[in-house]
Each structure stands twice: as C-alpha cells, then as structure tokens.
C-alpha cells in the first residue's frame, strides 16, 4: 500500500469522527449521547458509502479518482457540519448588566420594591437565561474519562482493561494478517475485483452464483478501501470497526434498559470475549457488519419507547433497515420485530398523550364550573368548547407516515441491488437454488422444533465430546419419535450431516456456550421476572426480551441447520447480550438475607466471567485462520502463506500455474471453476505490471442471461477443482497441465 493510499484511508475515519461531533444529540435527557452520535455517524457514513457505489456504478465510474473525490467532498461536508455545531454550542456571552428601575421611595428608604409599581418587573417573571447545553470538547471528554477511571472499582477497571486489550490486539491482527477467509476467496473479494475491473455493478458470467446473488453491502465498504488504497491490506478493518460499533451500541442498549456503568461494562465484556466476535473482528466475513446495523436499529427503537420519534431518528431507522438488508438478508429477521415494537410504542404514546390531555381538560372544566355558571348558555358552551378532546388520529397518521418513511429510506439503500437481481432472475431473492438452499422448506411444528434443537446444539457445543454425543443422540432419537428425519434436506443445508463439532475456535463455526447461556438466562429473567433486574424498567425489559426471543425463534424456523450456522445467528447473539449484562449486574448487586447464598452466586458469576475472558484470549491467541502464536502466527507466516492457511497445499499450485500463464504473455485469460472454488488468488497473481486488473473471463456461467466466453477467444485458461471439467473446455490441441487442485492450459506454441 502506497503512502498516498495510507493517507486516503484516513479520510473515511476522519469523516466519521467529525460527524460524531456534528450529530451529537441536543436533548438533555439523551441516553449516552456520545454513543448515540457514533450510531448516527456510522449510519450516515454507511448510507453514503452504499449510495456512492450505486451512483458511480450507473455512471461506469468505479475508479480511484471518482472515489477520492467523493470522500474528499464528504470530509469537507463533515468538517463544515462539525464546525457549525461547535459554534452553535458555544455559550452566548452574558448580557451587560442594566439597572432595574425602582421606586424613588424604595431607593431612598431601602424598602423592597412595590409590586404594584408598573416600572418594576414582577418577581415571578424574573429569571436568568437558561444555561446552554454545550458539546464537550475533547479535553472535556478526556477529563470525564479520567474521572470515571478514578471512581471505578477494581472490578470495573479489570473489565475495561480486558475489553481494551482484546480490541487493540484484534486491531493488530487485522492489520498484520492478509485476508484468508474461505468465502472471501470464493466470492466476497472476487466480487470487489470484478467491479474494479469492469467499472460498474453489472452482473457478469460466473460459475459461482454467490458472487452476484448474495447482498453486497459489506463488499461495497471493501470496494471503497480497495480503490482508495489500491489493495486489500486494510480489508480486515471493516469487520474490526463493525465489532467496535457492536460493543458501543450494545453498551448503550444496556443503559437504555436501566443498566448503570457496571452493567454496561459487563455487556461489553461478555460480547468482547465471545470467540465468534473475537475471530470475526479480524476477518473479511460479513456477519459483524450485519450485526452492527441490527444493533443500531435496536438502540434507535428503544429511544422510541418513551418519546415520539423525530425525523432524524426515522431516517436513522430507515438507514439501519436498508443497510441490514443490503448486507445480509437474515438480519431482517431481527429488524422486523424491532420495527413492530417501535410502531406499537409510538401508538401507545399517542393514546397515552390523548388520555392525559383528556384528563387535564376534565380537570380544567371542573375548576371553571363556578365561573361559567353565571354566563349565558352560548358563552358557557363556547367556554367549555375551547378545551376540545384530542383525537389520536393525528398521532396514528404520524406513526403510519413514519413507518412509510422508514421503508422508503430502506428501499433507497437496498432497492438498486434488488432491482438488478429481479431483472436478472425474475425474483428479488435470486435464483431458485439460492432460495431453496438456505431457507427452511418445511414449516410444520415438528420440523421447526428439530431445526431449533440442532441449531441450539451447535451453538452451545463444548470440548466435552461425551456431552456433544449425548445431546445429539437425544435430538436424533427425539426427531424419530415425532416423525422427522434429522438429516432431511428440506431442513438441512446441502449435504451436511448433523451433528458437527463446533467448539474449536474457527471463525466460521465456533460455538458460544457461555455467552449463549448468559443471554438466554437474561432473556428469560427479563421476560418472567423483570423486577429482579430493574423494578423501574419492567415494560422495556419485557418488550426487548420478547423481540430477542422472537428473532431467535424466527431464525430457527426460517434458516436451515448448517455446520457454520453459528456465524449466521451472530446478529441475534449481539442483540441478546445486553440482557446478559443486566442480569449478571443484578446478580452481583442483589442483597440477600442469606449471605452464603449471595456469596455463592457472586462466585459463580465471577467464575463464568473469568472463563469467558479465557475463551476470548484463547480464541485470539490460537484461533483459526488468524492467530498470534503457534503454527500460522501472523508474526511468523509470510503474507502469501497466510492467505492459504485454510488450504496450505494450494499456495504453490496457484503460483506455479500463474507463473506459466504470465510467461506466455497471455492477455485474456479464461476461468474454469466450480461453485465453491477459490477465484481470488488469480486476481492477485495475474494482475498487470502497472497494477491494473487482469482480463479474466468465465468459461462457465450459471446466469441464464449471461453466456460464458468462448474458450477459443482466450489466450490461456486457468482451472481449479475438477480436472475433467477443465478438460471439457480446453480447445483441441492445447496443452493442459494439472497439479492437485490447480491447472492451466495454453495454446500450442507458434
């Protein structure tokens, strides 16, 4: 990465920081206003990034100059907004003191002013200007942080230190490790390279349908970094930033539900030490990005439980919904119930306001009854009619209008992609193979129950093999009793077989038994006994717990079991962790008459938290495929070998084939591959000497309207996976060489 690329990469981060200053809430009663400003800034930046890609894509201008210009304009706008906000937040200078006129007698005798004198301002109306609420300067925020640290207990400092240590080490790994996620080699990163090569978002012929059918929101963000820096060195930072955003928003949700500082730290701690979060924070997967947008929607919805939602929050909800949809459709499983909760809360506030105003009007009419008794009937009628009973229809219309606005904003964000998919496949959810492979195809209660039990078994997996086997046997035998095949393809992804071990710290499948157990207990307590957590927050706690449980139930009834399903449900885990933090905090602060019981409960909680910290540290140290120590360490493994830690034997094979193709001076190169093969290494190895993209074309296509290139039109062919499939497409007379997984074919020398 060049020095210019490094400098340009700072522009998006600087824009987010400036927007955080500009978008800080002015409401005095805002919960965690700085974190709310971060949410607003992230949503605005995310929407801008998506719309820039869509707009420049239609103009066939997906290139570095266009993106640099777009970000510099955004930086200027953010700096201007921040400057205006800080200027408007400065307290006005105090007005010059002017002597109040007093009666002459009072001035002479020193007596109090006469209230009946018209030259004297009544005491009841005299007041000093209300203090202006200002945005804290950086020094002010630093002093607040220092004060918080000084007043924090030893346990709170330990929580903060653990969270900060994990986040900083994850940042180090994200910067040192090359992208090496399996799915990223197949379709996440090739998708980005195709856009760069063709300069637009049009679909292309490909044998890997996921390159065009899976929502591309996270890859849009990667595209910005790719064009700003010229490479993939910073690609891991997208998920890392999403992980940090999840921590901040989850802590804010805890505060909105009544949690104090310790509860918020416990929430962030439990989430930060979850192995799946630790491993994905250094990856080019998309699950943390999806979880971040879902939690942004959740925190904005909770703001709407106690006050009418303003235009800014409505736009934010629409942005969060659209960004979730364009990143990972499964995230809408949680956003849907959240929006339903928001709508019900807004209607409740409307009806409550109407009832309160009606009560006030009745009281006012009773108080003035004696005064109106002596008035003529018409006058009395007019007097009583002056206080009209409010009608809730205006509030209902406002809620309906807000709902429509949310959907419209979401449609602006995700609509262009859905339009392309619909035009290509005749359905907004893509081709039949996509619609049938992941979603459940049976929805009878028995099948849903079996699917839920299998998902739970994989999510709560532990290194204890006997426990895993016993749990799996119970599920399989129980499925047979109720007449469901536990391996039924209608409820099982692909050809996978249940059960599958998931305890190992692998970014695609690692289980989260501790986090899941704490979240489940917290949700049950919040639903059944919310007063044990906070007697003043029973309504919000129950409502939030219902949303979390609804999201989990909907997920298990809509998404098939698969060995890597733990990462697919990560958005629900992040959403549920605040309930875990609240419950653990309530457990630690509860004063029991029986001190022995309280000591046992505290010891259990501390043990669970310590074990959770150990799980997070081990995942970061030994996790796969990026680790700090051992074989494959980011400190001892070369850049190229790091990319192939999933399949080390392929590293030399790709280099061997690419070297032969480069030596042949081939310009147009054909691709032969299957649906789950690695394409991305070819984009790196066959890049032009000037750094521009190679001319790679597919010789197979699963898109009916996108025919593949003719093998005779290319100068060389590179293959992965199946040698027979490659042989069928190699023109007669060409020389085909194959070594294990990789092969190449060249025309006869002239």
């Amino acid at each position: 990465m060049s020095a210019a690329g490094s400098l340009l990469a700072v522009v998006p981060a600087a824009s987010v920081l400036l927007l955080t200053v500009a978008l800080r809430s002015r409401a005095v009663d805002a919960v965690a206003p700085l974190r709310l400003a971060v949410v607003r800034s992230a949503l605005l930046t995310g929407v801008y990034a998506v719309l820039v890609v869509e707009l420049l894509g239609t103009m066939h201008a997906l290139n570095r100059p266009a993106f640099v210009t777009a970000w510099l304009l955004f930086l200027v706008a953010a700096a201007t907004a921040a400057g205006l906000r800080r200027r408007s937040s400065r307290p006005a200078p105090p007005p010059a003191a002017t002597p109040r006129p007093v009666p002459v007698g009072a001035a002479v005798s020193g007596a109090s002013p006469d209230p009946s004198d018209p030259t004297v301002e009544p005491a009841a109306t005299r007041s000093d200007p209300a203090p202006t609420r200002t945005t804290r300067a950086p020094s002010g925020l630093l002093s607040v942080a220092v004060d918080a640290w000084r007043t924090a207990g030893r346990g709170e400092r330990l929580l903060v230190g653990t969270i900060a240590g994990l986040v900083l080490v994850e940042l180090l790994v994200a910067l040192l490790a090359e992208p090496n996620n399996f799915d990223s080699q197949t379709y996440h990163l090739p998708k980005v390279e195709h856009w760069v090569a063709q300069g637009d978002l049009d679909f292309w012929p490909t044998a890997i349908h996921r390159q065009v059918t899976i929502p591309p929101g996270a890859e849009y963000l990667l595209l910005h970094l790719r064009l700003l820096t010229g490479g993939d060195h910073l690609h891991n930072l997208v998920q890392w930033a999403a992980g940090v955003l999840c921590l901040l928003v989850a802590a804010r949700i805890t505060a909105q539900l009544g949690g104090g500082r310790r509860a918020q730290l416990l929430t962030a701690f439990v989430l930060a030490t979850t192995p799946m979060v630790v491993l994905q924070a250094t990856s080019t997967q998309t699950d943390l990005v999806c979880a971040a947008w879902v939690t942004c929607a959740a925190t904005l919805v909770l703001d709407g439980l106690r006050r009418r939602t303003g235009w800014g929050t409505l736009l934010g909800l629409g942005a969060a919904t659209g960004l979730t949809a364009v990143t990972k459709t499964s995230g809408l499983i949680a956003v849907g119930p959240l929006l339903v909760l928001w709508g019900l809360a807004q209607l409740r506030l409307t009806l409550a306001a109407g009832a309160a105003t009606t009560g006030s009007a009745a009281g006012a009419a009773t108080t003035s009854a004696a005064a109106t008794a002596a008035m003529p009937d018409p006058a009395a009628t007019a007097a009583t009619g002056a206080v009209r009973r409010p009608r809730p229809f205006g509030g209902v219309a406002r809620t309906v209008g807000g709902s429509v606005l949310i959907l419209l904003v979401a449609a602006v964000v995700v609509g262009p992609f859905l339009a392309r998919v619909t035009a290509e496949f005749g359905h907004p959810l893509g081709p039949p193979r996509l619609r049938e492979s992941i979603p459940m195809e049976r929805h009878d209660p028995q099948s849903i129950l079996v699917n839920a039990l299998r998902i739970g078994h994989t999510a709560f997996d532990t290194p204890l093999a006997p426990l895993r086997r016993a749990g799996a046997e119970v599920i399989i035998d129980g499925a047979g009793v109720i007449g469901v095949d536990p391996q039924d393809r209608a409820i099982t992804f692909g050809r996978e077989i249940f059960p599958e071990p998931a305890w190992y710290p692998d970014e695609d499948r690692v289980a989260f038994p501790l986090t899941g157990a704490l979240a489940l207990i917290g949700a049950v307590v919040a639903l059944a006994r919310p007063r044990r957590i906070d007697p003043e927050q029973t309504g919000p706690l129950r409502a939030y717990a219902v949303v979390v449980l609804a999201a989990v139930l909907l997920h298990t009834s809509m998404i098939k079991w698969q060995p890597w399903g733990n990462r697919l449900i990560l958005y629900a885990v992040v959403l549920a962790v605040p309930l875990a933090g609240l419950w653990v905090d309530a457990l630690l602060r509860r004063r029991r008459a029986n001190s022995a019981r309280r000591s046992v409960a505290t010891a259990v909680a501390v043990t669970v938290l310590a074990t959770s910290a150990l799980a997070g540290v081990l995942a970061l140290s030994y996790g796969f495929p990026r680790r700090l120590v051992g074989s494959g360490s980011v400190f001892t493994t070369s850049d190229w070998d790091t990319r192939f830690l999933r399949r080390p034997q392929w590293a030399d094979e790709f280099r061997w084939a690419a070297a032969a193709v480069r030596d042949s001076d081939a310009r147009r190169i054909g691709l032969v591959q299957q649906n789950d093969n690695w394409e991305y290494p070819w984009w790196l190895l066959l890049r032009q000497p000037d750094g521009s993209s190679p001319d790679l074309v597919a010789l197979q296509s699963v898109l009916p309207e996108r025919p593949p290139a003719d093998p005779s039109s290319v100068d060389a062919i590179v293959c992965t996976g199946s040698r027979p499939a490659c042989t069928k497409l190699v023109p007669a007379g060409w020389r085909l060489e194959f070594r294990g997984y990789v092969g190449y074919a060249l025309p006869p020398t002239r």
Side-chain angles (χ1 to χ4, degrees):
M1 182 172 60
S2 64
S6 302
L7 185 61
L8 290 173
V10 177
V11 174
S15 301
V16 171
L17 293 177
L18 290 170
L19 283 177
T20 301
V21 175
L23 297 175
R24 186 155 183 179
S25 175
R26 297 178 184 270
V28 178
D29 60 343
V31 178
L34 181 58
R35 278 170 274 172
L36 176 58
V38 171
V39 170
R40 293 172 173 175
S41 176
L43 290 174
L44 180 58
T45 305
V47 169
Y48 181 78
V50 169
L51 295 183
V52 163
V53 172
E54 292 289 356
L55 178 61
L56 295 180
T58 61
M59 301 168 60
H60 303 281
L62 297 182
N63 53 60
R64 190 178 194 187
F67 274 67
V68 170
T69 302
W71 277 109
L72 290 178
L73 291 175
F74 191 65
L75 178 64
V76 171
T80 303
L84 293 175
R85 174 59 192 275
R86 291 182 63 84
R87 186 178 306 171
S88 65
S89 300
R90 292 174 183 170
T98 56
R100 298 180 185 276
V102 296
V104 177
V108 174
S109 64
S112 299
D114 182 5
S116 63
D117 193 319
T119 64
V120 179
E121 181 182 1
T125 62
R126 291 198 302 266
S127 62
D128 295 328
T132 304
R133 188 177 186 271
T134 60
T135 302
R136 289 193 183 102
S139 59
L141 292 175
L142 180 60
S143 64
V144 170
V146 171
D147 290 341
W149 181 260
R150 288 175 179 173
T151 59
R154 185 179 303 173
E156 292 177 342
R157 292 183 179 182
L158 184 59
L159 293 175
V160 172
T162 304
I163 296 167
L166 286 172
V167 169
L168 291 177
V169 176
E170 288 164 7
L171 174 61
L172 177 65
V173 174
L175 290 172
L176 292 178
E178 303 297 65
N180 60 1
N181 173 263
F182 195 104
D183 286 346
S184 296
Q185 306 283 358
T186 301
Y187 67 95
H188 289 309
L189 300 186
K191 187 185 302 186
V192 175
E193 295 301 324
H194 276 285
W195 293 334
V196 174
Q198 62 191 32
D200 56 40
L201 300 174
D202 290 345
F203 291 161
W204 52 89
T206 178
I208 305 173
H209 75 88
R210 291 175 293 175
Q211 290 183 359
V212 297
T213 57
I214 299 294
E219 291 89 340
Y220 282 174
L221 304 181
L222 294 177
L223 175 62
H224 286 271
L225 289 178
R226 167 67 175 84
L227 289 173
L228 291 177
T229 66
D232 61 7
H233 310 288
L234 300 182
H235 278 8
N236 293 331
L237 292 186
V238 171
Q239 281 263 106
W240 178 84
V244 173
L245 182 58
C246 286
L247 295 179
L248 294 175
V249 181
R252 182 173 191 264
I253 291 173
T254 305
Q256 290 172 291
L257 295 174
R261 182 171 63 187
R262 185 175 64 181
Q264 297 172 49
L265 289 175
L266 286 169
T267 295
F269 176 85
V270 172
L271 185 59
T273 56
T274 302
M276 179 65 76
V277 174
V278 171
L279 294 170
Q280 289 241 353
T282 62
S283 171
T284 47
Q285 267 291 7
T286 62
D287 304 287
L288 269 181
V289 179
C290 174
W293 300 137
V294 171
T295 51
C296 285
T299 195
L300 295 180
V301 165
L302 289 179
D303 279 339
L305 295 186
R306 292 187 175 88
R307 66 171 63 91
R308 297 307 305 269
T309 301
W311 292 108
T313 303
L314 289 173
L315 294 175
L317 284 171
T321 303
L323 289 170
T324 301
V326 81
T327 300
K328 211 173 188 68
T329 310
S330 57
L332 294 177
I333 294 174
V335 174
L338 284 168
L339 293 181
V340 171
L341 174 61
W342 170 84
L344 294 176
Q346 293 295 292
L347 292 176
R348 181 186 63 83
L349 291 173
T350 297
L351 297 176
T357 308
T358 301
S360 300
T366 302
T367 303
S368 62
T372 59
M375 298 175 62
D377 291 341
T381 304
T384 56
V387 182
R388 296 187 178 93
R389 181 177 180 179
R391 294 185 301 173
F393 301 111
V396 173
R398 179 178 174 181
T399 302
V400 172
S403 304
V404 173
L405 178 61
I406 291 171
L407 296 178
L408 287 176
V409 173
V412 169
V413 177
V414 71
F417 168 71
L418 293 181
R420 289 194 297 273
V421 173
T422 304
E424 189 72 30
F425 301 104
H427 196 286
L429 298 181
R433 66 182 301 176
L434 178 63
R435 302 198 304 269
E436 297 170 359
S437 60
I438 298 177
M440 287 273 287
E441 298 177 76
R442 291 181 55 180
H443 297 90
D444 55 283
Q446 298 91 330
S447 297
I448 293 175
L449 175 61
V450 172
N451 194 55
L453 291 175
R454 293 182 306 166
I455 290 176
H457 180 274
T458 305
F460 287 86
D461 191 22
T462 69
L464 303 175
L467 181 62
R468 180 189 315 118
R469 288 195 297 268
E473 289 174 0
V474 170
I475 294 173
I476 292 173
D477 293 342
V481 171
I482 61 177
V484 177
D485 179 4
Q487 316 300 345
D488 186 357
R489 297 302 101 189
I491 61 174
T492 305
F493 180 85
R495 299 178 180 178
E496 305 300 326
I497 302 296
F498 174 82
E500 183 74 22
W503 64 269
Y504 186 80
D506 184 298
E507 66 175 355
D508 285 335
R509 63 179 66 195
V510 63
F512 33 81
L514 291 176
T515 302
L518 292 175
L520 180 60
I521 294 173
V524 172
V525 174
L527 185 63
R529 298 289 182 86
R531 297 183 65 85
R532 289 191 175 185
I533 296 178
D534 191 338
E536 299 179 359
Q537 299 285 336
T538 57
L541 283 169
R542 275 203 175 109
Y544 190 76
V546 167
V547 168
V548 170
L549 294 175
V552 173
L553 292 176
L554 287 173
H555 183 97
T556 56
S557 63
M558 298 174 66
I559 306 296
K560 293 178 179 178
W561 175 86
Q562 47 196 286
W564 44 88
N566 287 341
R567 66 178 181 82
L568 300 183
I569 203 171
L570 184 59
Y571 69 90
V573 174
V574 177
L575 205 62
V577 165
L579 297 175
L582 288 164
W583 176 72
V584 174
D585 179 65
L587 187 67
L588 292 175
R589 73 170 184 266
R590 188 174 303 149
R591 301 293 180 180
R592 295 181 179 272
N594 188 332
S595 59
R597 290 178 59 188
R598 182 176 182 273
S599 299
V600 171
T602 301
V604 170
V606 171
T607 302
V608 170
L609 293 176
T611 307
S612 180
L614 178 62
V617 171
L618 290 177
L620 187 58
S621 301
Y622 296 97
F624 194 75
R626 292 166 302 281
R627 56 176 49 166
L628 291 174
V629 297
S631 176
S633 167
V634 295
F635 297 113
T636 60
T637 309
S638 68
D639 294 347
W640 185 252
D641 289 336
T642 298
R643 296 180 185 275
F644 286 86
L645 284 176
R646 287 283 187 189
R647 300 290 186 272
Q649 66 275 17
W650 295 352
D652 291 337
E653 295 175 6
F654 270 98
R655 275 181 164 172
W656 161 76
V661 172
R662 287 197 307 269
D663 292 343
S664 71
D665 293 326
R667 290 291 178 261
R668 183 175 167 88
I669 303 165
L671 286 173
V672 179
Q673 55 195 1
Q674 286 71 56
N675 184 56
D676 207 30
N677 290 173
W678 285 19
E679 178 182 315
Y680 186 59
W682 299 126
W683 291 97
L684 299 175
L685 291 168
L686 299 176
R687 190 167 290 178
Q688 300 295 335
D690 61 356
S692 59
S693 300
D695 186 8
L696 294 175
V697 295
L699 301 185
Q700 309 142 291
S701 179
V702 295
L703 278 65
E705 304 299 325
R706 309 278 174 173
D710 188 337
S712 62
S713 68
V714 300
D715 304 319
I717 296 174
V718 291
C719 310
T720 53
S722 170
R723 177 168 185 159
C726 186
T727 303
K728 292 179 181 179
L729 293 170
V730 173
W734 284 39
R735 176 171 58 92
L736 174 62
E737 299 285 344
F738 231 91
R739 182 183 293 180
Y741 178 76
V742 178
Y744 70 89
L746 295 173
T749 56
R750 299 170 183 172

